Amino acid sequence: MENTLNTTSTVRSAGRTKFIVGGLLIVAAVIYLIVSSTQANAQYFLTVDELQAKGSSVSGRDLRISGAVIGDSIQYDASTLTLTFTVAHVPGDNKEIEAQGGLAQVLHEAVTDPTRNRLQVVYNGVMPDLLRNEAQAIMTGRIGEDGRFYADELLLKCPTKYEEAVPEQSG
Amino acid sequence: MIANLGYGSLVITFLLSLYGVFAAVYGARRNAPAWVDSARNAMLLTFPLLTLSALSIIYLLVNGNYEVEYVASVTSNSMPMYLKVTALWGGQAGSLVFWTWLMAAFASAVTLRKWDRDREFLPWVIVVALITLAFFLLMIIFFENPFERIWRLPFGQPVKAMFPPAGAELLIQPDGRGLNPLLRHPGMIIHPPMLYLGFVSFVIPYAFAIAALVTGRTDDRWIRLTRRWTLVAWLFLSLGLVLGGRWAYDVLGWGGYWGWDPVEIAAFMPWLTGTAFLHSVMIQEKRGMLKHWNMVLVILTYDLVIFGTFLTRSGVLSSVHAFAQSAIGPLFFVFIGLTLIASVALLLYRWSELKAEAEMTSLFSREALFLLNNLLFLGILVVCFWGVIFPLISELVTGQKVTVGPPFYERATGPQFAALLLLMGVAPLAAWRHSTAKTLGRAIWRPALFSLLVLAAVIVSGVTNWAALLGFWLSAFVASVTLYEFWRGALARHRTSGESLPLALWRLMGRNRRRYGGYIIHLGVVLMAIGVIGIELFQTETQGTIAQGERLTLGRFAIQFDELANFDTPDGRNVARAVVSVYKDGEKVRELYPRRDYYYESQQPMTIPGVRSTWEDDFYVLLVDWQPVSASGATFKVYHNPLVNWLWLGSIIFILGTMVAAWPDKDPETEARMVRRTLVAARA
């Protein structure tokens, strides 16, 4: 009698160990996937000021830069699909933006203030519909040897016209 | 006047909700049915009241009352009627009202059901529904009021307020700023309501779960009661996600459908937990296991629904979808935190009563494979959640904002999606309780062999990408297992009942809608997987400027630029429309008309692709730029998207399968009564 009871409980705990080991393996695999993918794909999110402060230490790394588009600087060569424009520094912190009167106001000031740090951007592809003066551009790419920013991806938002639901425009 | 009416109705509904919560709790605690009935009436009243508010907004929108800020921000004179009406959910404040309206409709529908056997659940379902409703109404009334008007002061800037400041006059604008042209698309008109319906209807299973925890009636009654609600919620959420993808593909002009944007992920996360929940409740129903787990999943789904609404509405993340920087963000956080803590505390309180009735024994049993499926769905959820909050965490820890992009999500979720596909093929053939590698192998070898033949055919056709080969093989495997299941079931029924095969198949599906609906959903997923593999791994693109009569080549395709017309339309657009001929292997197959619409009032262009769609591929042409005067040259960007239409076909089958699974069964009780009555009649 005692014997059978013992066997059942060993069988049970053996069964449970099996599941616990299996579960842990899966959890470990998911953690590995997350950690390795994060390391491989992390991009530093910088403002123009921060980028300039870091200097050459970030050259060659994947970066994400946000800035205000200066309308007069937009040049598009349709034959090579090369787009160049300049962005001016805007603060990266939401609270700071809020304190300065909202995104629209901050973007407007950034574009009209000639003393702000500026960054030249080069992008190859279709000209995005939302690219215009005082739009906020979020660019993903790398800083080139010539100090210009070579963007692979370009996201734009225009808070002046639409307070929300401005959808994605990327190339 | 109308604005005051709508606003007043919102305030009354808010107070009514608070009263309802109080009455329901009091009635349940004191065992006073009159109070519970009163709470129920309060619940039912919220729907007509919120209907009044929603109709007031629609009236203002259609009537062009531009003194109301919300109306001015989302409509303009030149917009057609249907867009003015649907502008109700075109902006933040309106869509929150729309959310509460749907919430009230669903909660009222639940309140109206027959409660005979489940009387004790009623007050607590009302409490959960009304607390949720009251929270959203609070947001609207104090922070996102769609009825606020613009007032002109004698001195200084115009102000936005609900009621006139001293000495102010209404500032009546002649025209509004109009809805963002990118949102003027049929997909975008039905996409948000579908998502919201999905969000809102997930509140119902959660409300029942909480009711079960509070009352201590912790058997699987709450699951059986909400089974259909969960499926309906899931149906709408899936539809919302698919429509959003289709809209992106049609309108955004990057030849894609899903960009791993935080807002997309916000809608995807409750879908993931909801899908896990749909699978794991079956184990509780069949085997009485995983009761804690199901509670955790339904609580998570509810809070992810609120989190999803919050993500799209707060601007806390640098998403490209929504940037409203508003005060409602922290409040959402508080609400999510409180509901999460309260729910988990309740769950812990009832922990010992939710013990499993059976043990899991075999690694290859169906319940073990379902558990694995759940782990994978949660694994994908963790990846998504990590990606969304990573910038916040890294900023807190290192002071440096670090973000992750689509490659992160693709790399971290890809293997998990592949494992889910594999499970989709294996699990339906595994038996409950005991199943060994041997019994499973016996059931599986035929479809597995067939899928290997398909794999060989794919290799012969020249595919060498290993990820694609794996994906195609898995798709073939799942498809053959699923079709084999249909075949086996129909054949068995045909043999025993003598019905013809098609009739046997039809009746078989009618007998067990959830199971066969689920299989149809699996087939839909397989087709979607084929489409995703096609576009993700084999998309090619090129771009170039060509003069009239010249050609631009991409693989086996080429386009020839024929002509370009530039004209104004009565609804305020300037349209540049190109005519291009598409050549495949040197032969002309189609003419396409890619265009670029410029909206004068919003000063925004919109690129509309010309697409040639076949089952084999999409040939997708964008007009990028042109010479305005001579029309001598134009720039095009061209995408070749193999197999992408299988994605859309798969989505349709997926939705149909969900409908089959959610279709109301004959109520077993009525059926039993009918049978009894027939028996009595026969005897007499």
Side-chain angles (χ1 to χ4, degrees):
Chain A
M1 196 63 207
E2 221 173 36
N3 250 342
T4 27
L5 262 182
N6 260 339
T7 2
T8 5
S9 74
T10 10
V11 168
R12 265 203 193 149
S13 69
R16 203 171 288 163
T17 321
K18 195 161 71 180
F19 283 101
I20 291 172
V21 170
L24 286 178
L25 278 179
I26 291 168
V27 172
V30 171
I31 291 174
Y32 166 75
L33 279 173
I34 290 176
V35 171
S36 64
S37 308
T38 309
Q39 281 170 348
N41 297 297
Q43 295 162 340
Y44 284 87
F45 198 86
L46 301 173
T47 61
V48 175
D49 280 359
E50 285 165 344
L51 177 69
Q52 248 130 44
K54 298 230 176 218
S56 59
S57 68
V58 289
S59 66
R61 289 182 88 157
D62 262 350
L63 302 173
R64 233 175 162 193
I65 310 283
S66 122
V69 176
I70 298 167
D72 293 339
S73 70
I74 301 173
Q75 280 180 355
Y76 191 52
D77 180 354
S79 58
T80 59
L81 299 189
T82 308
L83 175 68
T84 53
F85 59 93
T86 303
V87 293
H89 169 78
V90 283
D93 188 30
N94 275 342
K95 277 196 202 105
E96 210 174 314
I97 291 173
E98 197 71 355
Q100 292 178 23
L103 189 56
Q105 184 64 26
V106 168
L107 288 170
H108 177 72
E109 278 168 17
V111 169
T112 44
D113 176 5
T115 63
R116 293 271 179 115
N117 272 325
R118 293 184 170 193
L119 175 70
Q120 268 205 342
V121 181
V122 184
Y123 174 73
N124 199 268
V126 178
M127 168 120 163
D129 294 341
L130 290 172
L131 185 76
R132 62 168 97 132
N133 195 30
E134 293 178 20
Q136 185 183 9
I138 296 173
M139 302 145 297
T140 309
R142 274 157 300 276
I143 199 92
E145 304 251 308
D146 55 1
R148 297 199 294 177
F149 187 77
Y150 289 83
D152 309 320
E153 196 190 6
L154 193 53
L155 303 176
L156 292 152
K157 44 189 191 184
C158 303
T160 40
K161 278 284 169 191
Y162 314 102
E163 59 170 351
E164 67 260 311
V166 177
E168 184 158 350
Q169 280 281 294
S170 63
Chain B
M1 175 56 214
I2 295 286
N4 289 340
L5 180 73
Y7 184 71
S9 177
L10 283 177
V11 174
I12 292 171
T13 319
F14 175 65
L15 297 174
L16 194 66
S17 307
L18 293 184
Y19 165 75
V21 172
F22 166 76
V25 173
Y26 187 80
R29 282 265 160 255
R30 290 291 167 93
N31 216 351
W35 280 96
V36 177
D37 273 341
S38 175
R40 181 180 181 165
N41 290 336
M43 177 79 251
L44 290 174
L45 252 181
T46 57
F47 179 63
L49 282 170
L50 286 175
T51 308
L52 188 66
S53 291
L55 284 177
S56 310
I57 302 181
I58 291 177
Y59 175 87
L60 296 168
L61 288 167
V62 171
N63 210 29
N65 287 59
Y66 298 117
E67 72 276 12
V68 176
E69 166 57 21
Y70 182 72
V71 175
S73 70
V74 292
T75 55
S76 63
N77 289 332
S78 65
M79 271 164 62
M81 184 63 141
Y82 74 97
L83 280 177
K84 284 185 181 169
V85 173
T86 55
L88 173 61
W89 52 83
Q92 170 163 300
S95 46
L96 283 175
V97 171
F98 184 61
W99 207 105
T100 58
W101 181 72
L102 291 174
M103 177 76 228
F106 274 58
S108 299
V110 170
T111 318
L112 281 174
R113 72 181 292 277
K114 264 190 272 160
W115 285 87
D116 330 332
R117 290 198 293 147
D118 317 294
R119 199 88 209 159
E120 69 262 45
F121 284 163
L122 176 63
W124 302 106
V125 170
I126 291 178
V127 167
V128 172
L130 284 182
I131 287 180
T132 312
L133 197 61
F135 169 70
F136 277 91
L137 287 169
L138 184 83
M139 296 286 103
I140 298 167
I141 292 168
F142 291 104
F143 302 103
E144 290 298 334
N145 181 0
F147 297 106
E148 276 186 335
R149 283 156 288 195
I150 309 266
W151 304 91
R152 197 206 322 259
L153 294 171
F155 306 100
Q157 295 261 320
V159 293
K160 195 169 95 168
M162 184 62 219
F163 299 105
E169 269 176 69
L170 265 184
L171 177 74
I172 298 178
Q173 296 159 294
D175 198 356
R177 303 193 287 280
L179 194 66
N180 187 335
L182 290 172
L183 301 179
R184 300 179 192 185
H185 176 270
M188 210 52 202
I189 289 162
I190 35 182
H191 157 75
M194 289 300 140
L195 270 188
Y196 279 11
L197 278 171
F199 277 6
V200 163
S201 37
F202 265 124
V203 175
I204 307 296
Y206 170 75
F208 274 87
I210 292 299
L213 286 176
V214 173
T215 57
R217 196 175 161 188
T218 46
D219 58 356
D220 57 8
R221 182 71 187 154
W222 72 272
I223 285 182
R224 292 185 191 276
L225 285 174
T226 57
R227 189 153 81 186
R228 186 145 307 115
W229 280 107
T230 315
L231 272 170
V232 167
W234 195 69
L235 170 72
F236 284 123
L237 204 49
S238 311
L239 252 177
L241 289 167
V242 167
L243 285 170
R246 179 74 212 196
W247 166 77
Y249 189 76
D250 282 350
V251 172
L252 292 185
W254 38 272
Y257 52 92
W258 182 261
W260 294 104
D261 176 89
V263 175
E264 290 167 350
I265 294 171
F268 189 48
M269 287 196 293
W271 186 90
L272 287 170
T273 50
T275 313
F277 180 69
L278 279 177
H279 286 94
S280 73
V281 289
M282 288 187 233
I283 305 178
Q284 180 165 350
E285 285 175 25
K286 285 259 189 312
R287 306 270 289 126
M289 293 188 286
L290 299 185
K291 292 180 182 174
H292 302 118
W293 182 246
N294 284 329
M295 284 288 174
V296 169
L297 284 179
V298 82
I299 293 167
L300 265 182
T301 308
Y302 173 79
D303 277 311
L304 284 173
V305 160
I306 308 289
F307 184 66
T309 318
F310 154 70
L311 263 195
T312 55
R313 293 294 167 221
S314 71
V316 69
L317 298 158
S318 57
S319 158
V320 287
H321 268 76
F323 311 100
Q325 322 258 330
S326 66
I328 69 181
L331 281 166
F332 263 105
F333 253 135
V334 169
F335 185 72
I336 291 170
L338 287 180
T339 53
L340 198 59
I341 290 168
S343 314
V344 170
L346 262 177
L347 176 59
L348 293 177
Y349 176 64
R350 297 284 179 197
W351 192 261
S352 56
E353 289 164 52
L354 288 164
K355 255 180 82 171
E357 291 152 30
E359 279 231 11
M360 222 173 257
T361 45
S362 159
L363 268 180
F364 290 102
S365 64
R366 193 179 291 184
E367 53 267 39
L369 295 178
F370 268 45
L371 187 60
L372 185 56
N373 138 308
N374 268 244
L375 283 179
L376 288 168
F377 273 113
L378 282 231
I380 296 172
L381 175 80
V382 172
V383 170
C384 291
F385 193 72
W386 175 254
V388 168
I389 60 162
F390 185 64
L392 301 180
I393 294 179
S394 70
E395 198 169 15
L396 277 180
V397 175
T398 63
Q400 181 67 63
K401 209 169 185 177
V402 184
T403 61
V404 288
F408 162 77
Y409 295 101
E410 282 158 16
R411 189 168 178 276
T413 61
Q416 299 188 67
F417 279 119
L420 275 175
L421 262 181
L422 181 66
L423 271 183
M424 207 187 263
V426 178
L429 297 176
W432 294 103
R433 282 166 229 268
H434 297 291
S435 192
T436 60
K438 206 170 161 193
T439 55
L440 197 56
R442 208 176 301 144
I444 237 167
W445 72 270
R446 262 182 267 232
L449 190 69
F450 179 75
S451 67
L452 286 175
L453 291 179
V454 174
L455 177 64
V458 174
I459 294 175
V460 168
S461 77
V463 176
T464 51
N465 182 316
W466 69 268
L469 288 176
L470 178 68
F472 285 135
W473 171 68
L474 284 171
S475 306
F477 176 57
V478 179
S480 35
V481 164
T482 313
L483 293 172
Y484 184 60
E485 277 288 284
F486 277 105
W487 165 252
R488 266 206 325 191
L491 195 66
R493 197 180 161 95
H494 162 72
R495 284 205 182 125
T496 51
S497 69
E499 292 159 356
S500 70
L501 264 179
L503 185 68
L505 181 65
W506 179 255
R507 293 230 170 117
L508 178 78
M509 286 170 56
R511 279 275 145 210
N512 200 340
R513 288 210 190 88
R514 184 158 62 151
R515 176 170 182 175
Y516 289 97
Y519 286 162
I520 296 175
I521 295 172
H522 286 182
L523 284 177
V525 172
V526 165
L527 296 181
M528 290 169 82
I530 294 172
V532 169
I533 295 166
I535 186 169
E536 292 295 331
L537 298 175
F538 299 108
Q539 184 180 53
T540 50
E541 57 175 88
T542 187
Q543 54 202 25
T545 304
I546 44 179
Q548 238 167 353
E550 276 185 357
R551 288 191 190 182
L552 178 68
T553 311
L554 175 68
R556 292 166 63 193
F557 286 89
I559 55 165
Q560 177 180 299
F561 174 35
D562 294 336
E563 55 183 320
L564 189 130
N566 203 338
F567 52 90
D568 280 343
T569 61
D571 58 352
R573 284 176 298 159
N574 177 278
V575 176
R577 179 174 173 275
V579 180
V580 298
S581 304
V582 179
Y583 292 84
K584 187 181 181 186
D585 298 328
E587 263 177 71
K588 181 169 171 178
V589 286
R590 243 319 263 288
E591 243 173 35
L592 290 177
Y593 314 101
R595 25 181 252 268
R596 201 167 161 90
D597 293 6
Y598 183 81
Y599 286 79
Y600 286 112
E601 71 197 11
S602 51
Q603 300 166 31
Q604 188 180 317
M606 178 167 167
T607 312
I608 294 147
V611 183
R612 173 184 182 268
S613 282
T614 65
W615 288 117
E616 206 180 315
D617 49 28
D618 262 13
F619 190 70
Y620 187 107
V621 182
L622 293 169
L623 173 64
V624 180
D625 201 7
W626 68 95
Q627 309 299 326
V629 193
S630 63
S632 61
T635 309
F636 296 94
K637 178 147 189 168
V638 185
Y639 290 93
H640 180 240
N641 300 330
L643 301 174
V644 67
N645 286 308
W646 295 91
L647 175 60
W648 311 123
L649 177 72
S651 321
I652 294 169
I653 290 176
F654 185 102
I655 298 299
L656 287 178
T658 316
M659 284 166 147
V660 169
W663 200 263
D665 282 314
K666 277 183 208 126
D667 185 1
E669 285 155 44
T670 9
E671 210 168 354
R673 225 177 297 137
M674 292 273 286
V675 171
R676 233 175 293 134
R677 213 173 293 154
T678 346
L679 281 178
V680 172
R683 236 176 271 152

